[in-house]
Amino acid sequence: MQLGTRWATGSEPPASVPAALRPAIAEVESRGLTGHWTLTWLEGRAIAELDAGWEVVQTGSGDVIARPFED
């Protein structure tokens, strides 16, 4: 896993956040969730985790999924 970056909800995601993830991140934030996002990379795919219990992941096929975080 490669560590990425961290930012607060409601602020502009850093440039390192892939464009494909941005709409799903905005959708999660529209639910009123607050906290901080952490961007990491696993096997070359971006994962944005919100410490309020959500993640936005890009699958191997390129689909983007927003879902409650699985421990």
Side-chain angles (χ1 to χ4, degrees), residues 2-3 6 10 14-16 23-26 30 33 39 46 50 54 56 59-60 63 67:
Q2 175 186 354
L3 215 39
R6 194 165 159 82
S16 58
I25 289 169
S30 75
L33 300 171
L39 176 69
L50 179 60
W54 279 77
V56 174
T59 66
D63 295 328
R67 62 185 178 202

Side-chain angles (χ1 to χ4, degrees), residues 36-68:
H36 288 87
W37 289 97
T38 302
L39 176 69
T40 56
W41 300 84
L42 180 61
E43 296 178 358
R45 293 189 306 252
I47 302 169
E49 295 179 354
L50 179 60
D51 54 19
W54 279 77
E55 66 183 357
V56 174
V57 298
Q58 190 166 22
T59 66
S61 62
D63 295 328
V64 176
I65 300 169
R67 62 185 178 202

Side-chain angles (χ1 to χ4, degrees), residues 7 11-17 22 25:
W7 72 99
S11 63
E12 183 70 23
S16 58
V17 176
R22 291 171 182 261
I25 289 169

